[in-house]
Amino acid sequence: FWAHSLCVGVTAKCLAKAKGVSLTEQEEFFVGGLLHDLGKIPLNYLFPDKCVQALNEAKSSQRALFHAEEAVFGIDHAAVGGMIAEKWQLSPALIQILSFHHRPEEAHKHNHPVVFMVALADIFAQLLQKRSSGETLAPNAMCTYLLERVKVNWSFLYDLRDTVLGEIDKAKIFLEIT
């Protein structure tokens, strides 16, 4: 969970930097990526059997995990994460990231840049880490949509790979020290 979250945070920050986002704002991209799947924690803690059921449903039906969560729980981890972010009074952008990283077009237009980049970073991290987040599908249509919205191509994103992996290694070293 945290390896995937760290990868999404680092990727989102690297994307933001490459797109000319200010250094201060880059940190919000990182935190948004780091926290994007926060809603999975209480679902897994409170309902471990139902989470396994949702994972199995996603695999067997070839649907995205958040769709399977909706079928099993009546709610997905993004909605749960959005509720937590609101309760914690996080910034509007972070609330939007946690709420809409699987449905970025539903975010407020003002927050589209950060939500789209975190959503793209999530997909990139899934592919880079061979879907360690529990997702079972190769997200081709959404990936194409997000690449167009962020105004980058796959080659540009893939070229960030070494930078992302290097930043993840630095972060892991920092986390081991602390």
Side-chain angles (χ1 to χ4, degrees), residues 3-142:
H4 170 73
S5 296
L6 180 60
C7 186
V8 175
V10 168
T11 302
K13 183 177 179 179
C14 288
L15 263 173
K17 181 178 180 181
K19 295 297 289 178
V21 172
S22 73
L23 186 59
T24 305
E25 289 178 284
Q26 288 175 32
E27 294 308 315
E28 189 156 50
F29 285 71
F30 174 75
V31 172
L34 191 63
L35 296 179
H36 78 286
D37 276 343
L38 183 66
K40 288 181 177 180
I41 294 173
L43 289 177
N44 279 301
Y45 180 75
L46 295 171
F47 310 104
D49 293 339
K50 284 192 170 197
C51 284
V52 170
Q53 182 183 347
L55 281 169
N56 290 336
E57 167 70 21
K59 287 178 187 174
S60 67
S61 67
Q62 291 296 297
R63 295 190 308 169
L65 179 59
F66 74 95
H67 287 304
E69 289 169 342
E70 288 171 343
V72 172
F73 293 106
I75 193 169
D76 69 8
H77 69 272
V80 173
M83 287 188 266
I84 293 169
E86 286 179 7
K87 180 76 172 169
W88 288 354
Q89 299 178 2
L90 299 181
S91 73
L94 290 174
I95 293 169
Q96 293 277 295
I97 291 165
L98 272 67
S99 299
F100 300 114
H101 63 277
H102 291 298
R103 294 180 176 100
E105 66 284 351
E106 294 180 21
H108 295 143
K109 289 191 187 299
H110 175 73
N111 293 307
H112 276 178
V114 67
V115 175
F116 286 137
M117 279 197 223
V118 170
L120 182 59
D122 184 25
I123 291 170
F124 183 71
Q126 291 170 32
L127 297 172
L128 191 62
Q129 297 176 311
K130 298 184 176 50
R131 304 193 208 332
S132 64
S133 66
E135 288 297 335
T136 59
L137 297 177
N140 294 332
M142 181 58 81

